[in-house]
């Protein structure tokens, strides 16, 4: 399995307590949207080579945690920022995500939220980007 998928799965595992404590209803992989809100989708973005030597490649993987809110409360920004705070705390609790090939995870920032109020609910998707620095062997990205 490519290490980018291992990283995504570790991020999802780090966020699972947010389901248990009812901060969010569901965490999804990829672009599949939940029908339970609030929810988080974990998406893999660009994976850029930072540097390389004869044995290893150091990578910088961008991962997005998309926070989806659907609420009768019009202040979806406050609701999303509360989830964002809990995501931050969960991911920064272990800067290596518990993986020996990860050197660190850092927040990059939040993108402009996508909002709508086309129904009786207020909806928002807030994407928060993270950079994960990790290492693979030159010959095989799963090693």
């Amino acid at each position: 399995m490519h290490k980018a998928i291992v990283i995504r799965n570790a991020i999802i595992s780090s966020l699972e307590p947010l389901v248990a404590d009812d901060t969010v209803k569901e965490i999804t992989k990829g672009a599949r949207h939940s029908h339970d809100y609030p929810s988080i989708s974990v998406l893999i973005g660009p994976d850029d080579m930072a540097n390389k030597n004869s044995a290893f490649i150091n990578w910088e993987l961008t991962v997005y945690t998309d926070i989806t809110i659907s609420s009768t409360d019009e202040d979806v920004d406050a609701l999303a920022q509360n989830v964002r705070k809990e995501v931050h705390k969960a991911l920064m609790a272990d800067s290596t995500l518990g993986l020996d090939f990860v050197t660190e995870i850092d927040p990059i920032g939040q993108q402009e939220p996508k909002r709508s109020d086309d129904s009786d609910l207020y909806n928002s998707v807030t994407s928060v980007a993270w950079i994960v620095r990790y290492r693979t062997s030159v010959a095989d990205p799963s090693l």
Side-chain angles (χ1 to χ4, degrees):
M1 180 180 309
H2 195 287
K3 286 187 177 179
I5 298 300
V6 176
I7 290 167
R8 184 212 49 205
N9 293 344
I11 288 171
I12 291 170
S13 292
S14 295
L15 297 176
E16 285 297 331
L18 302 184
V19 175
D21 72 10
D22 212 29
T23 299
V24 296
K25 302 292 183 196
E26 186 176 23
I27 299 169
T28 63
K29 297 175 185 175
R32 184 177 76 81
H33 290 288
S34 173
H35 295 290
D36 292 323
Y37 304 107
S39 67
I40 301 169
S41 295
V42 180
L43 305 140
I44 294 175
D47 194 10
D48 299 316
M49 184 179 72
N51 56 58
K52 170 185 173 226
N53 64 32
S54 61
F56 297 104
I57 301 174
N58 292 312
W59 297 93
E60 293 182 341
L61 173 67
T62 302
V63 177
Y64 300 98
T65 51
D66 286 1
I67 301 163
T68 303
I69 303 289
S70 186
S71 176
T72 56
D73 183 341
E74 69 180 62
D75 195 359
V76 290
D77 289 332
L79 297 169
Q81 292 305 308
N82 182 57
V83 174
R84 179 182 177 193
K85 173 190 71 166
E86 297 303 323
V87 167
H88 184 98
K89 288 166 41 179
L91 295 183
M92 297 307 290
D94 178 354
S95 64
T96 67
L97 301 169
L99 301 171
D100 61 0
F101 59 88
V102 170
T103 57
E104 67 182 338
I105 182 170
D106 285 312
I108 297 174
Q110 173 185 305
Q111 298 177 356
E112 178 72 27
K114 298 174 184 120
R115 300 180 188 95
S116 73
D117 58 358
D118 296 338
S119 66
D120 6 343
L121 297 174
Y122 297 94
N123 302 290
S124 174
V125 178
T126 302
S127 187
V128 180
W130 301 84
I131 190 90
V132 182
R133 293 175 183 84
Y134 72 101
R135 175 177 275 190
T136 66
S137 82
V138 169
D140 184 346
S142 66
L143 301 176

